[in-house]
């Protein structure tokens, strides 16, 4: 009798512990997403004001300053002992920096050479490309509901963001480079954290200095090619300097939150749920800069996109919603009593 009571008690304790761990993970997941949404939306609004009001149109150089600020913070935290020493092979770092820098330059060039409508289409195509990378490289498998929910998100965001669509050869090539490099960069964030047991700050400590150095060297040249203006000739003011400092400060949170979210989830989840930022930017844009362009068409697209995001969150978290096949996913069983050979999938839930 005592043994049964002990077993029941242990079972209850295990269930309570498991429930607490699940609740804690859910809270951390929500906090991570909110951190990313707030910092991403904030930096978009600050950069819009910096470029439109103060004429600082040097996007690549500004990104280099963002990573320089992030590097400074990681150095300080390492000196204080908050970041432990870690190892990342130079070849892996080099590949990541190439993907990341091509992503930054490609997105800037794509926006410059393409219509806003085609630029949005290119951004949306990152989701199917990220899915393709996970299926091929991680042997990921998506359920029917997960696939349908992704399509609903794409449809909703497309309806509320795509207006004029025109494309030319060089714009198409720029978009192609931007889509694939961004998808590879985001996939690599998850890959490096998983394979080398790197935390978000550890990974930033490796990648931010390399990105800062390369972008601050190449940025002024690329920005001159894109805008016809030299960053060294920019007539700065106290207000514009303060906005640049604010942009760099928020960028530290944006960079960190991106690594946290992709590390906790996957690049596809980051892309799908990340379109909530697109919706919030549109809403805040209408609130802050006027309601021009806000109509039933746009509102419908927003609602469809949000419904798709909620659906994706539920579908991908269900058993079988999104699974990685193990190397022993197909196990042949010897036939019994004349039955045909059977196979069973051994999947690891992610």
């Amino acid at each position: 009798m005592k043994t049964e009571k002990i077993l029941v008690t242990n079972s209850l304790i295990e269930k309570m512990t498991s429930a607490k761990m699940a609740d804690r993970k859910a809270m951390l997941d929500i906090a991570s997403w909110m951190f990313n949404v707030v910092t991403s939306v904030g930096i978009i609004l600050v950069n819009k004001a910096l470029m439109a009001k103060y004429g600082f149109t040097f996007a690549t150089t500004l990104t280099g300053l963002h990573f320089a600020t992030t590097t400074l913070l990681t150095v300080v935290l390492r000196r204080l002992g908050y970041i432990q020493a870690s190892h990342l092979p130079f070849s892996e770092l080099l590949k990541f920096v190439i993907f990341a820098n091509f992503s930054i330059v490609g997105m800037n060039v794509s926006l410059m050479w393409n219509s806003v409508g085609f630029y949005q289409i290119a951004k949306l195509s990152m989701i199917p490309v990220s899915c393709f990378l996970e299926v091929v490289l991680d042997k990921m498998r998506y359920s029917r509901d997960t696939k349908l929910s992704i399509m609903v998100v794409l449809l909703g965001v497309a309806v509320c963001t795509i207006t004029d669509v025109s494309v030319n050869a060089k714009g198409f090539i720029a978009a192609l480079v931007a889509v694939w490099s961004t998808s590879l960069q985001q996939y690599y964030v998850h890959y490096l954290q998983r394979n080398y047991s790197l935390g978000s700050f550890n990974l930033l400590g490796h990648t931010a200095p390399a990105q800062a150095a390369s972008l601050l060297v190449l940025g002024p040249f690329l920005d001159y090619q894109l805008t016809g203006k030299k960053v060294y000739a920019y007539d700065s003011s106290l207000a514009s300097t303060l906005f640049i400092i604010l942009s760099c400060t928020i960028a530290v949170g944006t960079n960190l939150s991106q690594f946290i979210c992709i590390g906790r989830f996957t690049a596809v989840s980051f892309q799908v749920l990340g379109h909530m930022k697109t919706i919030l930017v549109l809403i805040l844009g209408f609130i802050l800069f006027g309601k021009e362009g806000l109509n039933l068409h746009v509102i419908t697209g927003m609602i469809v996109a949000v419904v798709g995001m909620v659906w994706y969150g539920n579908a991908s978290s269900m058993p079988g919603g999104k699974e990685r096949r193990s190397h022993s996913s197909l196990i042949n069983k010897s036939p019994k009593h004349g039955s045909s050979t059977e196979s069973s999938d051994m999947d690891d839930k992610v």
Side-chain angles (χ1 to χ4, degrees), residues 16-32 264-265:
M16 291 175 64
T17 303
S18 178
K20 286 181 179 179
M21 290 178 65
D23 290 343
R24 185 173 181 274
K25 182 183 182 302
M27 291 299 295
L28 289 173
D29 289 348
I30 293 171
S32 299
R264 291 186 68 83
F265 308 102

Side-chain angles (χ1 to χ4, degrees), residues 115-173:
S115 65
V116 175
F118 187 76
Y119 175 77
Q120 290 295 340
I121 291 175
K123 285 183 67 177
L124 289 175
S125 67
M126 291 177 192
I127 294 179
V129 171
S130 295
C131 288
F132 173 79
L133 290 175
E134 287 190 356
V135 169
V136 173
L137 301 177
D138 281 348
K139 309 303 180 186
M140 198 72 74
R141 185 174 58 188
Y142 300 91
S143 68
R144 183 178 61 86
D145 280 0
T146 304
K147 294 174 184 175
L148 289 174
S149 65
I150 291 174
M151 292 175 65
V152 171
V153 173
L154 292 173
L155 175 63
V157 177
V159 167
C160 64
T161 59
I162 297 175
T163 51
D164 61 311
V165 178
S166 60
V167 62
N168 54 70
K170 64 178 184 179
F172 179 81
I173 293 172

Side-chain angles (χ1 to χ4, degrees), residues 80-91:
L80 294 175
Y82 290 105
I83 300 179
Q84 302 302 318
S86 58
H87 173 68
L88 180 64
F90 178 76
S91 59

Side-chain angles (χ1 to χ4, degrees), residues 175-238:
L176 195 65
V177 170
V179 168
W180 277 95
S181 57
T182 301
S183 300
L184 283 165
Q185 182 259 344
Q186 292 181 355
Y187 170 82
Y188 232 60
V189 169
H190 188 74
Y191 169 82
L192 293 176
Q193 290 192 48
R194 186 180 71 228
N195 283 36
Y196 295 97
S197 301
L198 296 172
S200 301
F201 261 125
N202 288 106
L203 186 55
L204 272 177
H206 288 289
T207 60
Q211 285 190 261
S214 55
L215 289 173
L216 288 176
V217 170
L218 297 174
F221 171 76
L222 291 171
D223 288 333
Y224 177 71
Q225 296 298 316
L226 293 172
T227 65
K229 300 176 183 178
K230 296 181 178 179
V231 65
Y232 306 111
Y234 176 71
D235 186 17
S236 62
S237 63
L238 177 61

